[in-house]
Amino acid sequence: MGNKKFGKQQILLLIRAAFFIFYPAIFVTAFTGARMLVEEIAAKETLKLDGFVETLIILCVITILFGRIFCGFFCAFGTLGDAVYWMSSRIQKKRKKRPFHVFAKAGDVLRYGKYIVLVAVLALAAAGYGSTVSMNSPLSAFSRLHALKPISSMIGLGLFILILIGMALEPRFFCRFCCPLGAIFSLLPVMPFSVVQRDREQCIKGCKACQMVCPASMELPSKEEGDNAMSGECFACGKCAERCPRRNAERPFPGKYLKSK
Ligand code: SF4
Ligand code: SF4
Ligand code: SF4
């Protein structure tokens, strides 16, 4: 079983690496679609269905059907966040210290930051500053660095460096607290078969293993509950199911079909 599990993890890592290398711009493309829709609405123009908007719609449909699997596995920025935190944790372990969780307690409040970013960016877009915001965004800095192009905005670079520091201090720092596309995804309804759940009666008394390993620090909802106020924060990564000693956390579709038992 050990080898089988190792194989699955390797396949997932390869998929994530491939999307990071070859498709780093999906996230920026989709959010550009949202921004353009707002700009067109503000200018009272006819809405255009171009590649940006199509990407946004496809990602939203995938999220409604299967939960945030795009965030969990395919988004280059999410992968970057996981990689930076993994490296930071390794360094801490070598120093015989615990991995950082600087924003663990404040996370419940800080998660609202992404909605503020979303509203601010879309409001600026509606006011005609969409291109300026985009040019100075940390995502543009990331895209240019990824493409080995010179940086065009020091503001964008500065913000990107701050985000990298945040990523080293807290799991999925950008995704949980800052990402405007993540804010949209977190508000989408998710089909019941894709909401991660547990059978609370089967839980070990006092166990919090799933919450401890969860990059969103989520307390899993019970099957009776279905979903809860935090379910939109779930990245559908399946780490809770991997960690549960009782195999009592059900991974979101299609994760449960990858279950080793
Ligand atoms: S929350 Fe944003 S940055 Fe994070 S994985 Fe999702 S789309 Fe990407
Ligand atoms: S790890 Fe498993 S047993 Fe422990 S609280 Fe989570 S679902 Fe329950
Ligand atoms: S560990 Fe579980 S609850 Fe947490 S984000 Fe991943 S799938 Fe969702």
Side-chain angles (χ1 to χ4, degrees), residues 8 24 32 34 41 47 58 74 84 88 98 107-110 117 132 138 155 160 188 210 226 229 238 242:
K8 281 184 300 194
T32 305
I41 291 167
L47 301 186
I58 289 168
F74 306 115
V84 172
S88 142
R98 287 177 164 211
D108 278 355
V109 176
L110 290 181
V117 174
T132 311
I155 296 173
F160 182 59
L188 295 177
C210 49
E242 291 284 343

Side-chain angles (χ1 to χ4, degrees), residues 6 24 37 43 68 88-89 99 117 127 129 139 144 147 160 163 180 187 198 200-201 242 248 251 258 261:
F6 182 67
L37 283 177
R68 292 174 64 181
S88 142
S89 303
V117 174
Y129 298 105
L139 307 172
R144 293 189 78 83
F160 182 59
I163 287 168
L187 296 172
R198 63 177 160 154
R200 208 179 278 269
E201 285 184 5
E242 291 284 343
N248 187 31
R251 269 191 272 183
L258 298 170
K261 179 175 145 185

Side-chain angles (χ1 to χ4, degrees), residues 27 31 114-115 117-119 121 139 174 178-185:
F27 155 60
F31 190 67
K114 59 182 174 292
Y115 304 109
V117 174
L118 174 67
V119 171
V121 172
L139 307 172
F174 178 78
C178 315
C179 178
L181 191 59
I184 295 174
F185 291 157

Side-chain angles (χ1 to χ4, degrees), residues 19 23-31 55-56 59 70 74-76 181:
F19 270 81
Y23 305 106
I26 300 178
F27 155 60
V28 179
T29 307
F31 190 67
T55 305
L56 175 68
L59 291 191
F70 171 74
F74 306 115
C75 175
L181 191 59

Side-chain angles (χ1 to χ4, degrees), residues 102-220:
V102 173
F103 303 105
K105 285 199 178 135
D108 278 355
V109 176
L110 290 181
R111 73 189 179 94
Y112 293 106
K114 59 182 174 292
Y115 304 109
I116 296 171
V117 174
L118 174 67
V119 171
V121 172
L122 294 184
L124 285 167
Y129 298 105
S131 307
T132 311
V133 171
S134 168
M135 208 174 68
N136 291 297
S137 88
L139 307 172
S140 296
F142 166 69
S143 299
R144 293 189 78 83
L145 287 171
H146 189 284
L148 302 177
K149 288 184 184 164
I151 291 292
S152 57
S153 158
M154 294 316 284
I155 296 173
L157 179 63
L159 290 173
F160 182 59
I161 291 170
L162 286 178
I163 287 168
L164 285 178
I165 294 169
M167 285 171 168
L169 297 178
E170 182 69 24
R172 292 284 184 137
F173 170 85
F174 178 78
C175 302
R176 287 162 63 198
F177 307 143
C178 315
C179 178
L181 191 59
I184 295 174
F185 291 157
S186 74
L187 296 172
L188 295 177
V190 173
M191 295 300 284
F193 55 79
S194 290
V195 175
V196 66
Q197 296 163 342
R198 63 177 160 154
D199 185 345
R200 208 179 278 269
E201 285 184 5
Q202 297 298 320
C203 280
I204 301 164
K205 202 166 177 241
C207 176
K208 286 198 165 186
C210 49
Q211 192 174 0
M212 298 294 282
V213 79
C214 174
S217 281
M218 260 183 67
E219 190 180 336
L220 294 189

